[in-house]
Amino acid sequence: MNRPAPQSLDLPRVCITGAGLHCGFGNLEQTWSNIKLGRSSIHSIRLDPPIDFPEFVGAKALDFSLDELKVDRKLQKYMNRASALAVLAAGRALVDAQLTRADLCADMALFASTGLIAFDFSEVLPAMEVSLTADRQMDYRLMGEQGLRRCHPLMPFRMLLNMPLGLVSIAYGIRGENFMLYSGSNQGGVCLEKAFRGIRTKRFSRALVGGCVQGLSLMPLCSWSQMGRLAKTAEQAIPYRQNHQGIAPADVGAFLVLESEDTAKERNARVIGELTHVSVLQKEGSALDQAHHLTPKQKPDLILTTGNQSYAQDQIDQQAVESAFSQDPPLLASFDGQLGYFDAAAIPATAVLASRLLIDHQVPAVLDLGRQPLPLVRVPQQILISANEAPTGQTLMLLESWNKDVA
Amino acid sequence: MRRVVVTGIGVVSPIGTGVENFFNGLQIAQPGVDSIRSFDAQAFPTRIAGEVKDLSLDAVNLPATHRAALLRDRKSVFGIVAAREALDSAFGTTPLLRFHAPDRRAAFIAAGLEIFHLQDIIAHLHNDRINGQDLLAEVMHQELFSKLQIPADLGARCIAREAEIGGMCSVNLSACAAGTQALGEAFLSIRDGVADMAIAGGYDSMINPLGVGGFCMLEALSRSNHLGSAASRPFDARRDGFVLGEGSGMCVLESLDLARQRNARCLAEIVGYGSTLDAYRVADPAPDHMGAEAAMKKALADAKISPAQVGYISAHGTGTRKNDIAETQAIHRVFGSAAKGIPVSSTKSQTGHLIGAAGAMEFLAGLFALQKDCLPATINLTEPDPQCDLDYIPKFPRPARISYFLSNSFGFGGQNATIVAGRCQL
């Protein structure tokens, strides 16, 4: 288990002061309202031309415009869909945290993760067509002589996988420590662990951390299919049901603003919650196996999981919960069945929704695993987020309620 | 805070595969750039690159489950080969379990872009549309990832598996800054107590039609094809862009205490790391150079050494007009009047720009300086640019004994990273 920095009395507390999301239901408020009503954003999807792909189930992000955040239109031209989702969600998180550009000093860090490439083939098809010989082989001489000129000039930027981070930085003036990670839910966990540790060790006092994924594109879909991981129906994509088999890929952008307690206090920030534990491992089994290492005070009221691809995996989670919390095991649930699977953004997105739950104090309908309203037993004070990334990635994260404004 | 040392290194480069060959290549100022051979680039505006020449991918022992996919993705194989050399040089044949529990081992690996092969799509391209149904049917009959798309982290996953990593595994895609960031994050994770050992570095190859074509479209690459091996000329007045390279650099990092316990050979100590963003433009460095300057200052402050203690700077030095000037001016601002007295060089003059692996490769150039008491050269620097007025060690390496070096990486999107390392003070 990752051991955090040695405990000492002056380790800063890590506050969540902002959250931003865009997914199948739209922004965080829209998504939260729909979740509480037990709705699902997973449905049949056909890819847009020029690709004819078999129908599948997934969750496409609701249409959006970056004009909402007054993002420079010239900058928008550099963005593919994943980058645009990142810029949107990051901007919303900053607005939620009530941070202006003037507040964003060099001390603000930025960590993000993104998923399998979602290449827009319409960008290269013109070049490919002109580069074919009579017997339909690629002729790279033709590509060099004619093909490159037929590509959109900004195509290279839309291919670079670190562009979401660079574009968020440019859009909002963020200049601090940073990295861009790739693929799989565990990378979202690594981003959050880094932000958490960085604040606790006082390397920086504030971080914007999250992920973006464009899951509904030819190449990720072929990869998921090849791995046998796509659910065939929306029902099959719901975790903790006996017919759970597969995931429903989705589009998403999700970001959190984390600050040290002192930094939040200085500006009278509204604190949504507190991050008190993050650990990331490469092990088989369930991330919830790590829960044995939590202290007695860190017993969660609720466990939110993400990334399970089958009922068999769900059962491993349930066994781990029973083992770690034999007395009064917490409720185990997942948003994957209503929102789809968010891959590299899964953990930030689940954390965004969990932070909403901490201040809403209402248990969404999905959490009964049967879409019936569930009487609130107690207000969740501690939410454990667990992510399993096949075959061995595990992340465990604890969010706790912050009962009062910091000021 | 715990101290962090380098106990193993491995490399695959255009100037030699294996640390001995790579160091020898630096020592003799060997150029690694030549005409592109891996595909027919004759009609491309840029037809030169730094290709790996002395590694037969077919001869590499690769995991059976992913062999077909790995052979379609050179960079992953480079990473695996370099990582194996680093692990062997650190631990020999002794099982890692003797030294570090799996959950105390981490991997921080920088990777390049995903590869997909246009030929895979051609057969399904009709009348301006891709027949995704047929393509999927074909993909489903292939070995995993051996058609269409090879994930950029396939090599990293294989490396993590071979090193039996049970702790954090991070795959960094920050383009030109990725390699230095991977090393820096590995350093921090050990210093902070999250890990005891890490395999860290990067691998990349963009020497393929989409990679070369894409950078040609940005007009970022040198078009001095007639110069061949002399085309990569950072800081030279006639430079006209960078030249792509490929390869991998990998390091094993451990806490000093644990390295001492097992009498490990300590090649260097990493003492500081700084990372910033320009928040300016996608492809151009910020005119105020504040991002690059801040990264260097942060790294030096983190290292708790003064600028005067830096004996060598392994520059980002791409050979583009803007970057070389920006980096020069940033170095002036960090080091002040001492700047002109600090030797600076760019090994991209020999290897080309390895993008995701560049930072790791250039860190190894700094290790060469420490190990061999010899500073790598900026070969091909024959006519200095008046706006680049530092001591760039032109043409030939220079004997010198240094205590600390600093290595810079500044990437697309405005990501900046600097790492500081020095001799092990036991």
Side-chain angles (χ1 to χ4, degrees):
Chain A
M1 165 138 177
N2 305 140
R3 287 201 295 272
Q7 294 295 319
S8 80
L9 290 175
D10 65 351
L11 276 183
R13 294 172 77 178
V14 180
C15 306
I16 302 167
T17 57
L21 178 78
H22 193 83
C23 64
F25 284 129
N27 64 25
L28 179 53
E29 288 304 320
Q30 292 165 322
T31 301
W32 194 240
S33 300
N34 280 286
I35 284 177
K36 287 199 287 186
L37 290 170
R39 293 184 182 145
S40 171
S41 61
I42 298 171
H43 50 88
S44 286
I45 292 184
R46 274 215 168 275
L47 291 185
D48 292 329
I51 299 174
D52 295 319
F53 194 82
E55 210 169 88
F56 61 96
V57 293
K60 185 177 176 185
L62 198 65
D63 286 346
F64 61 91
S65 168
L66 286 171
D67 292 347
E68 167 193 321
L69 294 162
K70 300 185 176 59
V71 175
D72 187 322
R73 288 213 171 164
K74 283 187 192 168
L75 195 66
Q76 291 185 41
K77 290 183 180 172
Y78 286 91
M79 299 180 194
N80 60 19
R81 192 169 169 81
S83 290
L85 284 163
V87 172
L88 181 65
R92 285 178 178 165
L94 293 170
V95 169
D96 190 46
Q98 297 183 304
L99 285 166
T100 64
R101 203 174 176 101
D103 296 320
L104 298 176
C105 58
D107 189 40
M108 180 139 198
L110 175 60
F111 308 109
S113 53
T114 192
L116 295 171
I117 192 171
F119 192 64
D120 182 355
F121 278 96
S122 63
E123 304 248 40
V124 289
L125 284 185
M128 287 171 65
E129 280 150 11
V130 82
S131 306
L132 294 180
T133 60
D135 58 348
R136 300 188 66 76
Q137 300 294 316
M138 277 302 295
D139 184 330
Y140 291 115
R141 286 187 189 238
L142 288 175
M143 174 170 261
E145 285 164 4
Q146 302 171 41
L148 292 181
R149 270 181 264 136
R150 299 187 70 179
C151 290
H152 192 288
L154 296 181
M155 183 266 286
F157 296 110
R158 296 175 193 151
M159 286 176 64
L160 291 173
L161 286 165
N162 69 320
M163 278 295 105
L165 185 129
L167 290 161
V168 167
S169 153
I170 294 167
Y172 305 118
I174 297 169
R175 295 184 167 213
E177 194 153 321
N178 64 89
F179 56 62
M180 181 92 214
L181 301 186
Y182 169 78
S183 195
S185 59
N186 231 24
Q187 301 305 295
V190 174
C191 289
L192 277 153
E193 193 278 340
K194 166 69 183 188
F196 175 71
R197 175 162 43 98
I199 291 173
R200 299 253 289 184
T201 57
K202 299 180 185 173
R203 235 181 121 76
F204 41 81
S205 61
R206 188 184 282 152
L208 180 61
V209 56
C212 59
V213 165
Q214 182 189 343
L216 309 178
S217 181
L218 177 66
M219 290 206 283
L221 289 169
C222 285
S223 289
W224 290 122
S225 298
Q226 209 180 16
M227 290 187 272
R229 291 185 185 168
L230 286 184
K232 292 186 170 53
T233 65
E235 286 292 312
Q236 273 193 342
I238 301 175
Y240 306 109
R241 293 190 178 181
Q242 286 195 337
N243 65 341
H244 178 207
Q245 191 60 45
I247 54 136
D251 289 337
V252 69
F255 274 82
L256 290 165
V257 175
L258 303 180
E259 296 182 74
S260 70
E261 182 181 9
D262 284 348
T263 305
K265 267 185 184 167
E266 268 173 30
R267 66 180 191 92
N268 294 329
R270 175 204 61 162
V271 178
I272 301 168
E274 181 181 4
L275 192 57
T276 59
H277 173 91
V278 187
S279 57
V280 181
L281 291 180
Q282 295 283 120
K283 280 176 93 163
E284 290 186 3
S286 168
L288 289 163
D289 292 333
Q290 300 177 47
H292 285 285
H293 298 287
L294 295 173
T295 67
K297 280 189 181 175
Q298 290 178 312
K299 178 165 183 297
D301 305 303
L302 172 65
I303 300 174
L304 294 172
T305 69
T306 179
N308 283 356
Q309 294 167 18
S310 66
Y311 185 60
Q313 287 186 316
D314 297 336
Q315 287 182 302
I316 292 171
D317 270 352
Q318 286 175 316
Q319 286 160 11
V321 168
E322 283 158 21
S323 170
F325 305 104
S326 52
Q327 306 289 330
D328 190 21
L331 187 63
L332 185 68
S334 174
F335 294 122
D336 290 8
Q338 287 176 282
L339 301 181
Y341 176 57
F342 293 147
D343 191 33
I347 295 169
T350 305
V352 163
L353 292 162
S355 70
R356 195 68 181 83
L357 181 59
L358 285 174
I359 57 175
D360 195 348
H361 297 168
Q362 289 183 32
V363 180
V366 70
L367 297 183
D368 67 41
L369 309 179
R371 300 206 187 139
Q372 299 295 319
L374 183 73
L376 188 63
V377 175
R378 56 171 171 251
V379 172
Q381 296 288 313
Q382 298 187 141
I383 301 175
L384 191 63
I385 294 173
S386 163
N388 299 317
E389 176 204 326
T392 57
Q394 297 179 359
T395 299
L396 203 68
M397 216 161 73
L398 188 66
L399 271 65
E400 298 187 33
S401 177
W402 188 282
N403 291 319
K404 59 187 186 312
D405 284 341
V406 178
Chain B
M1 286 193 295
R2 304 204 301 176
R3 292 169 66 182
V4 183
V5 292
V6 180
T7 57
I9 52 177
V11 65
V12 173
S13 87
I15 60 169
T17 290
V19 172
E20 192 178 331
N21 291 329
F22 175 66
F23 278 8
N24 188 56
L26 292 175
Q27 190 89 52
I28 63 173
Q30 180 179 330
V33 170
D34 204 342
S35 298
I36 292 174
R37 291 182 190 153
S38 52
F39 71 96
D40 184 357
Q42 284 309 301
F44 279 62
T46 298
R47 301 184 279 281
I48 47 174
E51 291 176 306
V52 170
K53 302 161 190 63
D54 58 352
L55 178 66
S56 169
L57 270 57
D58 287 336
V60 177
N61 180 15
L62 295 170
T65 45
H66 295 303
R67 184 178 173 80
L70 287 166
L71 287 176
R72 281 160 45 93
D73 182 23
R74 295 165 67 78
K75 64 179 185 294
S76 286
V77 180
F78 297 156
I80 290 168
V81 170
R84 282 177 181 164
E85 183 183 17
L87 289 165
D88 284 346
S89 71
F91 301 107
T93 54
T94 309
L96 273 168
L97 204 55
R98 292 245 344 243
F99 305 118
H100 301 291
D103 66 350
R104 301 295 300 164
R105 291 180 226 153
F108 293 86
I109 300 188
L113 281 189
E114 291 179 346
I115 280 284
F116 67 94
H117 294 273
L118 294 173
Q119 302 94 295
D120 293 346
I121 301 165
I122 294 299
H124 306 284
L125 179 61
H126 304 284
N127 301 322
D128 300 337
R129 292 169 86 93
I130 296 173
N131 187 330
Q133 180 111 13
D134 283 355
L135 174 61
L136 181 62
E138 185 183 4
V139 163
M140 295 301 287
H141 283 99
Q142 306 286 328
E143 272 185 45
L144 189 61
F145 305 136
S146 59
K147 200 77 176 175
L148 192 62
Q149 176 186 14
I150 301 145
D153 65 343
L154 182 59
R157 302 289 171 190
C158 293
I159 291 167
R161 207 167 299 124
E162 288 197 11
E164 297 174 82
I165 302 296
M168 196 175 308
C169 180
S170 161
V171 183
N172 189 316
L173 278 187
S174 298
C176 316
T180 301
Q181 286 189 341
L183 288 164
E185 293 301 327
F187 158 65
L188 291 176
S189 75
I190 295 173
R191 191 171 77 175
D192 292 343
V194 170
D196 295 328
M197 167 255 168
I199 178 86
Y203 58 79
D204 206 347
S205 175
M206 291 192 73
I207 306 173
N208 55 70
L210 276 180
V212 175
F215 279 121
C216 282
M217 287 172 60
L218 297 178
E219 299 186 349
L221 296 179
S222 168
R223 298 190 180 191
S224 299
N225 301 297
H226 61 288
L227 293 178
S229 63
S232 181
R233 37 190 179 172
F235 308 112
D236 192 280
R238 295 157 304 163
R239 67 191 185 278
D240 67 332
F242 71 87
V243 176
L244 278 169
E246 63 177 7
S248 173
M250 292 285 175
C251 298
V252 171
L253 275 54
E254 295 181 74
S255 81
L256 174 60
D257 289 343
L258 292 173
R260 271 185 187 149
Q261 275 177 28
R262 66 181 190 87
N263 291 321
R265 178 186 58 151
C266 295
L267 299 168
E269 180 176 358
I270 298 179
V271 292
Y273 168 62
S275 160
T276 64
L277 287 155
D278 282 352
Y280 178 64
R281 279 190 195 158
V282 172
D284 296 328
D288 61 6
H289 327 301
M290 275 183 65
E293 179 189 340
M296 285 189 267
K297 283 181 172 173
K298 276 189 175 184
L300 288 169
D302 195 35
K304 297 186 175 51
I305 67 170
S306 69
Q309 291 177 271
V310 174
Y312 166 64
I313 297 175
S314 180
H316 183 53
T318 55
T320 64
R321 300 229 52 95
K322 287 181 181 173
N323 172 83
D324 293 359
I325 294 171
E327 185 170 10
T328 297
Q329 294 180 353
I331 290 172
H332 271 293
R333 285 156 73 128
V334 172
F335 293 92
S337 56
K340 287 194 175 183
I342 300 175
V344 179
S345 71
S346 171
T347 52
K348 288 184 175 77
S349 59
Q350 293 182 256
T351 64
H353 189 349
L354 275 69
I355 311 293
M361 186 74 51
E362 287 142 29
F363 179 79
L364 292 178
L367 285 192
F368 164 81
L370 288 178
Q371 291 288 305
K372 301 295 182 185
D373 292 337
C374 179
L375 308 181
T378 308
I379 74 172
N380 307 326
L381 175 53
T382 53
E383 186 180 320
D385 180 349
Q387 293 187 78
C388 299
D389 59 351
L390 300 173
D391 172 13
Y392 298 111
I393 318 175
K395 298 184 198 167
F396 305 110
R398 179 186 305 163
R401 184 169 173 83
I402 62 168
S403 296
Y404 294 98
F405 73 90
L406 179 154
S407 183
N408 285 334
S409 297
F410 309 133
F412 277 119
Q415 294 179 266
N416 308 302
T418 299
I419 196 160
V420 181
R423 295 183 185 277
C424 283
Q425 313 281 351
L426 296 178

